[in-house]
Amino acid sequence: MSFWNEKYECMSRDEMRKVQSERLIKTVNRVYNNVPTYRKKMDEKGILPGDIKSVDDLKHLPFTYKQDLRDTYPFGLFAVPMSEIVRIHASSGTTGKKTVVGYTKEDLEVWSEVIARTFTGAGLTKESFLQVSYGYGLFTGGLGAHYGGEKVGATVIPTSSGNTKLQLSLMQDFGTTHIACTPSYALYLAEEMEELGIKRSDLKLQAGIFGAEPWSESMRKEIEDRLKIKAIDIYGLSEVIGPGVACECEYQNGMHIPEDHFIPEIIDPDTEEVLPEGSKGEIVFTTVTKEGLPLIRYRTKDLSSLNYERCECGRTEVRMSKVTGRTDDMLIIRGVNVFPSQVESVLLSIGETAPHYMLVVDRKDNLDTLEIQVELSTAMFSDEVKKLEDIERKITKEVQSTLGISAKVRLVEPKSIQRSEGKAKRVIDKRVL
């Protein structure tokens, strides 16, 4: 098992806490003296930078919310003059203003470093050919993966998203060994390969590094079975740095966090209390090396848990569990919390339909309704009506058992649900809430 930066990836807990404490103290001073929003938040809580003496004091600091970035749009949370900002990204926010992120030269170095660590853990080497099929542009996915791949020394193929036939053609011609894209796009590639008659033996693909949307273990199995690769989960947020905030190693047993750069906590999303180790809750990050946009206790709205045990790979970095959903892609239907990833698990475990679905939520006579549109595979489409009714019943029963609420399941024609080359759109909420 190879490491990119063994010193930090395999550091003892005591040494790591020492590094985190030193860096946290510097970061708190930087934001208090350079960012009016943080000075105001700390003053309101009666906290001075000198009160923060170690990582144990992190829990006393105020939280940062996405709304803080919107309220100070575009550059109000930056902690350095604009003359030191060498690049700007912005999140693909679906509501309100985009959240803007600024990077100094040193921030870009840190970003390449953390991605190099995560890619090395996922098996990338100088001999690898990495096809980056995340979007390039304001979205952090493409360029983040690109520079990390180059830092490792891999041959990077910057295809960006879209143009699927070309992507598959280049995979064959160039001998792509690793691909970075969304998991839903990986399934789309598998589907197109089958349609174009491309055999798995025509490709040299070994692994995929998939992120930018929540995906289930069942979807991982589906990707691995269809593409015959190892499907690695990578996690990131533009606000924290982009991709590379955490990533699985080849053992696929939790995502390693480079915690010398990003300190995680798990909190109860309602009470904001820090939860004990192993608890499931909302993951919160504090950046302790970023210069352009340092963030203190940033509320991610992603649901996860933390594991501090040493991994089989030898790394001692804390691992976060696969994100099961977000507190804000969480639909509340008739008082029940529903995550699209739960529906996905049901469909993939039954395995008799295509892995494409859409949740349509509506409100009729003051009652929430949930319709799940599920795409038939081409093979199933020609089957007799009775068999299709049986599948519909089976899915309805499993959904009821998993979600705890009833839903109307509607089977739809193959390829009728719109495909996405970026993040998959899984929900249409027609309610006026």
Side-chain angles (χ1 to χ4, degrees), residues 290-307:
K290 274 179 74 187
E291 296 176 342
L293 181 69
L295 292 179
I296 304 287
R297 306 191 81 197
Y298 183 67
R299 295 279 308 263
T300 66
K301 302 212 170 166
D302 285 329
L303 299 174
S304 183
S305 60
L306 295 174
N307 177 358

Side-chain angles (χ1 to χ4, degrees), residues 33-52:
N33 292 314
N34 295 296
V35 185
T37 299
Y38 278 119
R39 179 186 284 263
K40 183 168 180 278
K41 278 176 182 274
M42 285 173 67
D43 286 349
E44 280 169 2
K45 282 190 80 129
I47 298 169
L48 290 166
D51 298 332
I52 306 303

Side-chain angles (χ1 to χ4, degrees), residues 16-198:
M16 181 58 78
R17 287 173 62 80
K18 189 166 176 284
V19 168
Q20 289 176 333
S21 295
E22 286 167 4
R23 292 178 174 181
L24 176 65
I25 290 164
K26 278 187 189 158
T27 297
V28 169
N29 272 287
R30 186 183 307 133
V31 298
Y32 187 82
N33 292 314
N34 295 296
V35 185
T37 299
Y38 278 119
R39 179 186 284 263
K40 183 168 180 278
K41 278 176 182 274
M42 285 173 67
D43 286 349
E44 280 169 2
K45 282 190 80 129
I47 298 169
L48 290 166
D51 298 332
I52 306 303
K53 296 187 165 59
S54 82
V55 75
D56 292 330
D57 298 321
L58 185 58
K59 60 181 178 287
H60 303 307
L61 287 164
F63 288 100
T64 312
Y65 305 88
K66 190 169 255 218
Q67 194 56 45
D68 292 319
L69 287 136
R70 293 200 178 116
D71 290 346
T72 56
Y73 177 90
F75 311 135
L77 284 188
F78 290 8
V80 296
M82 286 310 292
S83 56
E84 288 180 39
I85 296 289
V86 297
R87 193 191 304 165
I88 284 174
H89 280 284
S91 80
S92 50
T94 48
T95 51
K97 285 183 170 146
K98 287 185 178 296
T99 45
V100 179
V101 191
Y103 300 79
T104 64
K105 273 201 168 108
E106 183 55 34
D107 290 337
L108 293 179
E109 275 302 313
V110 166
W111 194 10
S112 294
E113 160 71 19
V114 295
I115 295 239
R117 284 190 208 178
T118 59
F119 280 2
T120 302
L124 204 76
T125 68
K126 281 183 174 175
E127 270 63 58
S128 304
F129 283 71
L130 172 69
Q131 191 155 322
V132 179
S133 305
Y134 285 119
Y136 281 64
L138 286 174
F139 171 62
T140 52
L143 287 168
H146 182 110
Y147 286 106
E150 284 186 348
K151 193 165 180 80
V152 171
T155 302
V156 177
I157 308 162
T159 46
S160 192
S161 55
N163 207 339
T164 305
K165 284 193 173 117
L166 175 66
Q167 300 254 9
L168 289 166
S169 160
L170 295 179
M171 264 187 214
Q172 294 172 83
D173 298 347
F174 295 172
T176 300
T177 58
H178 292 73
I179 184 163
C181 63
T182 60
S184 48
Y185 189 54
L187 278 178
Y188 185 46
L189 286 168
E191 203 173 71
E192 284 294 297
M193 277 173 65
E194 287 156 20
E195 194 140 299
L196 296 166
I198 297 169

